[in-house]
Amino acid sequence: MAGAKLTPSPSEIDPDVKTEVQKTPEPSWVNPSNPLRTMGSFGSDAGQRYQEEYSMDSTNAQVQVEFYVNENTFKERLKLFFIKNQRSSLRIRLFNFSLKILTCALYILRVSLDNPNDINSNPCAIIRNNSWTNTTELQEINWDLIFWVNRRVPVWAIQVTVALISFLETMLITYLSYKGNIWEQIFQISFILEMINTVPFIITIFWPPLRNIFVPVFLNCWLAKGALENMINDFHRAIQRTHSAMFNQVFILICTLLCLVFTGACGIQHLERAGKNLSLFDSFYFCIVTFSTVGYGDVTPQIWPSKLLVVILICVALVVLPLQFEELAYLWMESQKLGGNYSRHRAQTEKHVVLCVSSLKIDLLMDFLNEFYAHPRLQDYYVVILCPTEIDIQVRRILQIPLWSQRVIYLQGSALKDQDLMRAKMDDAEACFILSSRNEVDRTAADHQTILRAWAAKDFAPNCPLYVQILKPENKFHVKFADHVVCEEEFKYAMLALNCVCPATSTLVTLLVHTSRGQEGQMSPEQWQRMYGRCSGNEVYHIRLCDSKFFGEYDGKSFTYASFHAHKKYGVCLIGVKREDNKSILLNPGPRHIMAATDTCYYINITKEENSAFIFKQEEKHNKGLPVTGLCDAPSRLPVHSIIASMGTVAIDLQNPDPAEETSKLTIPTENGAGSRRPSIAPVLEIADSSAILPCDLLSDQSEDETNQSDEEGSVGSDFVKGYPPNSPYIGSSPTLCHLLPQKAPFCCLRLDKGCTHNSFEDAKAYGFKNKLIIVSAEMAGNGLYNFIVPLRAYYRPRKELNPIVLLLDYPPDNHFLEAICCFPMVYFMAGTIDNLDNLLQCGIIYADNLVVVDKESTMSAEEDYMADAKTIVNVQTMFRLFPSLSIITELTHPSNMRFMQFRAKDCYSLALSKLEKIERDKGSNLAFMFRLPFAAGRVFSISMLDTLLYQSFVKDYMIAIARLLLGLDTTPGSGYLCVMKITEEDLWIRTYGRLFQKLCSSSAEIPIGIYRTESHMFSTSESKDSHAQSQVSINVERGKEHRERGDSWKEKTAHRNSTTSDQSEHPLLRKKSMQWARRLSRKNVKPSTRAERISQQRLNLYQRSERQELSELVKNRMKHLGLPTVGYDEMNDHQNTLSYVLINPPPDTMLELNDIVYIIRSDPLAHMPEDSQVGQGRNTKNQQDFGTETRDETHL
């Protein structure tokens, strides 16, 4: 606010501010010798008044100054009322528009009442008519009918009144808008038209004979058009809302066309009074036909003035209309780029979600649309995409497909602008998805953009649910307010870590969070593809216990009892539960958890219970006469519907076993006769008995670390303690109880390849690790690597099974990261890359069981998007050839590049799988890549596959919480964790998956959720050490050497025990079907092998063996050069002739096979420990617990 001068000179006084000085009674604090002066000006409603008081010293008096925003003059007040003030100006323009419309209506009324034959109403017209009769040139035109009309007195009076008001308003507006150039005001088209339409009527007041003179009042339509445009602008200014330029241009074009047609119709009608005497409707018809370029010719002007008017109108139209259309086309093209607006009416009547991205790629769009619209209740939703970049050509082509064009709207704009958020109707949206650009080189900058978008969306629409994807874990706490947050690096590293101890965890989680029909691969002759495809349709669903048919009968029973019997009866796998008064989800809370009617149950099934059909007793009657061995063939008889309803065939009531002969399949017999060879399985108790919950004999006791440590285990990790990590590398990490070192390791001891004062080891061999290594290759030590270490050092991992972790980093880590990992046992780092053989050998790749290759940030951005994985794929392929038995787990940027992992150009089986992938993609499958062998085996995954986890959270708000519990990112007290067990020779007596379910539930309260199965790969052309194995996997000589395979059935049984069925006699038939399937899909015409072909095959085998020997010699020479023993490399065998896949929640009658790995959710061991054990443990880790608690208080916001 401006100040006021106390003693201004006359030249300094603002003329617009009037001042008045008067003496006032002096206050008590003012010097009496100095009078008090007051400066003010008279007030009005036109301006806003501000008052300021200043206190002066004893030499000056107090002055009160009143300021006005607008000039306090009469002209300024009128200008404020007629022009500046939005509301009053809008009223004035509305009144002016009404006057113009009234004049046009009066003109139409006058025309309808006019009689052209009556021309004697004006004496001037008769005189002029008599004087023109002698002119032969203009004999056909009666000009009096053009210049004079028959205007009745009431019409004349109204027109004069309107003209007088319009004239006065025009002169007032001209005076108020005068800026020093009078000619600019006079020669304005609007001023000229006003004078033409008003002055003649005003003259007729003083000269009555001119009352019937013709005045082109219909030209007021152009003044009405201008008034309407100004009125709309004032209206939008008054309501503080902008309208689109597209609407404004369309409105101007329509008004221009209407004015042209109205002017032409009135003008032609009036001129034709002296000719054909057309009616106003005929003139209007003629104008429409003419401007539409149809030109019927049935109505035409007859005299030259009307023809001249038509020419003038056509010329004006040819000039004005193309300009209008050009502007409209330009705005339409720009609106197509910007995407227009999502209408407010549609937002209020239809539901929509907003997708905010920095750049939209075709893969990201299709993944979102396929997953979002996979749910039936979301079919009527609209998707509004808000992206700052121009729409891509491929994306535009996709959005033009009728499937998406009616429900996907693309808007070009920024989420940081309220105008763009208003265009997307963010405040009315059901949800807002904010995704990060993972292809950026600077992922931190990409996170910063995501954070700002999330803040802007929350500020604009506080009630709109936010679903945010963040890349770096250290940035996660900035968007903690969002309803659902997925941190990419947290999930990525946790999943990679679990892949090392629980094979194919990435495949298991990916299949669980994808929406699938379970129909993939059902037409394939391969048994494993049919079973794998059917089980991939399992997802996680939820239902309240009191509303459930699956679990309603288990109210008051233990969780383990409900889980087993629901799987036995319905084929559903109950994995978790949530109390009504508790927000935390508990995975397998154990048998001590008693189910309540208000509990929310989380289960795995083909479809949710609401979409299921139940069939009881019908299948039992049909199968009553079947022998016991018929259970093995049950999967082939199961119908593939939305739910496998025939699970009731194996449902047996434990309390009332009927028939008795089937009871022994899943439960303990009522009487264990002497002739029974199969060990019995204890029943699952309804209520937990602490004495009955003992460790399963199939597994090692997980509580041995707390209670009774063996001597062997004590020698391995007796110096480890359990506690919370004292240092977290970022804010927001979940505290997890882990195995820790009693004292932090010095930073120098963390370096694997260099000795220090504490030890002299310089390679992995010198450390003498008893367990296999886990090597992680990454570009730099980011905070995400912390989430790789924590799940592998969690407290529930047995100490004797802890694997040493070696971080192979391109750039050495900083001290902040070393401070966070120095408390974990057997964690080391080394500077090096995977494309350097010496670095791989020094870090102990010979002694490693798993090598994890993380996609590097510097390679994520490439000129061609799909080339971002090129370096990683080639490096992994090299290691695949050098170390064939090494399990390499690779992360890729693009899922489509998985087909290049472990690439074999001449492998017919891989080519057949490629054909199958194309077939499934054509059928509309969202998991077309699932049959690729590296993905099925869990050797490769892309973090973009987990984007569906965020999308599914819109329908299943519990999916992120369950995924974090499964991956070990969160540890809720009382919640279980994911682990595995392996089926050995001693475990095959259990026979079926259903009996295994009962065994685990009754003995150790563990819940199995799936199987990881490995089978022999029959169609690989890779090298082998003996020619016999080579002949087994070669397609061209398969039939010629089939008798040798039968002769070596014992070797086949011991080497490849895992197969599609336990009956070994069926192997030749399965191989024959597989060969036919591979040949048909790869379109290979197999001819009888000739001598030349056999020789060629032998040469190929020799070449492959020589290549393998060459690679082996290369590795051995480098090991000798580095001083490393080659014994470990000699023991590495080629195990590439196998395929592995995941079966999620298989049917209860699925036969177990040797070396099957079963995924189980084990209950929390701390929840079932005696109190004295917990106290004892607390004494051992008191210092660690206190230190960890202090850290958690610091890091949790």
Side-chain angles (χ1 to χ4, degrees), residues 522 524-528 530-532 534-535 619 622-623 626 629-641 644 646-647 649-650 1060-1061 1066 1070 1073 1146-1151:
Q522 297 308 302
S524 172
E526 290 281 319
Q527 173 68 18
W528 77 270
R530 294 196 300 271
M531 184 178 294
Y532 173 53
R534 182 170 63 247
C535 292
E619 296 288 341
H622 181 267
N623 295 333
L626 293 179
T629 57
L631 188 62
C632 304
D633 301 328
S636 61
R637 299 194 310 269
L638 292 176
V640 184
H641 297 299
I644 305 177
S646 60
M647 288 297 177
T649 57
V650 294
T1060 56
T1061 179
E1066 294 182 3
L1070 289 177
K1073 292 182 178 180
D1149 48 5
T1150 301
M1151 300 301 298

Side-chain angles (χ1 to χ4, degrees), residues 342-350 425 428:
Y342 184 72
S343 66
R344 174 68 62 178
H345 174 73
R346 179 183 292 177
Q348 294 175 352
T349 57
E350 305 288 346
K425 304 299 181 293
D428 294 328

Side-chain angles (χ1 to χ4, degrees), residues 67-133:
F67 293 95
Y68 293 88
V69 175
N70 301 287
E71 296 181 3
N72 198 17
T73 62
F74 181 73
K75 178 181 177 181
E76 188 64 25
R77 294 180 186 180
L78 291 177
K79 186 184 294 186
L80 180 66
F81 182 78
F82 282 93
I83 299 176
K84 292 184 178 180
N85 188 276
Q86 297 174 359
R87 297 187 180 275
S88 61
S89 175
L90 178 62
R91 298 188 186 101
I92 295 298
R93 296 186 191 279
L94 180 60
F95 176 73
N96 191 18
F97 174 75
S98 302
L99 288 180
K100 304 308 177 187
I101 294 298
L102 178 61
T103 56
C104 293
L106 290 174
Y107 179 83
I108 297 175
L109 178 62
R110 199 271 307 164
V111 170
S112 62
L113 298 177
D114 186 24
N115 184 10
N117 297 323
D118 187 8
I119 60 173
N120 55 2
S121 60
N122 196 320
C124 296
I126 300 174
I127 296 173
R128 296 178 63 88
N129 189 26
N130 293 334
S131 63
W132 289 343
T133 53

Side-chain angles (χ1 to χ4, degrees), residues 984-1011:
T984 61
E985 288 278 1
E986 292 76 14
D987 306 324
L988 291 179
W989 64 270
I990 302 178
R991 296 190 62 195
T992 64
Y993 181 77
R995 289 172 57 82
L996 176 67
F997 206 116
Q998 180 180 356
K999 174 66 177 176
L1000 293 176
C1001 289
S1002 61
S1003 59
S1004 55
E1006 296 166 343
I1007 306 299
I1009 62 174
I1011 297 176

Side-chain angles (χ1 to χ4, degrees), residues 850-949:
N850 292 278
L851 172 64
V852 178
V853 181
V854 181
D855 200 7
K856 299 181 179 180
E857 296 181 11
S858 60
T859 62
M860 288 184 177
S861 179
E863 294 182 1
E864 185 179 350
D865 291 339
Y866 294 93
M867 284 295 177
D869 298 320
K871 185 176 181 180
T872 302
I873 292 174
V874 174
N875 289 336
V876 172
Q877 183 73 3
T878 302
M879 290 185 293
F880 175 68
R881 304 294 296 276
L882 292 175
F883 310 100
S885 65
L886 181 64
S887 176
I888 306 175
I889 305 169
T890 312
E891 181 221 352
L892 298 179
T893 302
H894 300 283
S896 59
N897 290 330
M898 288 191 302
R899 63 184 185 274
F900 302 120
M901 301 303 300
Q902 302 180 5
F903 184 75
R904 300 182 183 95
K906 297 182 179 180
D907 188 357
C908 296
Y909 196 77
S910 297
L911 295 178
L913 291 177
S914 177
K915 300 288 185 181
L916 179 61
E917 178 179 347
K918 295 180 177 63
I919 293 174
E920 294 297 334
R921 185 179 291 108
D922 293 339
K923 292 180 179 179
S925 173
N926 299 337
L927 296 171
F929 53 82
M930 62 178 292
F931 293 103
R932 290 288 182 177
L933 296 183
F935 172 77
R939 303 296 175 84
V940 61
F941 88 103
S942 175
I943 191 60
S944 62
M945 299 176 186
L946 284 186
D947 289 346
T948 57
L949 177 62

Side-chain angles (χ1 to χ4, degrees), residues 718-788:
S718 58
D719 55 344
F720 299 164
V721 297
K722 290 185 179 180
Y724 292 98
N727 296 312
S728 175
Y730 62 92
I731 300 176
S733 61
S734 300
T736 303
L737 192 64
C738 299
H739 294 287
L740 302 177
L741 294 172
Q743 300 293 333
K744 293 183 179 180
F747 291 172
C748 58
C749 296
L750 300 179
R751 186 71 181 260
L752 181 71
D753 57 337
K754 288 186 179 180
C756 62
T757 57
H758 305 88
N759 62 69
S760 58
F761 304 145
E762 295 185 354
D763 56 74
K765 177 64 176 177
Y767 282 86
F769 297 123
K770 295 186 177 181
N771 294 332
K772 291 286 188 178
L773 275 68
I774 296 177
I775 301 176
V776 185
S777 173
E779 186 174 14
M780 59 187 64
N783 293 328
L785 272 176
Y786 179 81
N787 294 292
F788 183 89

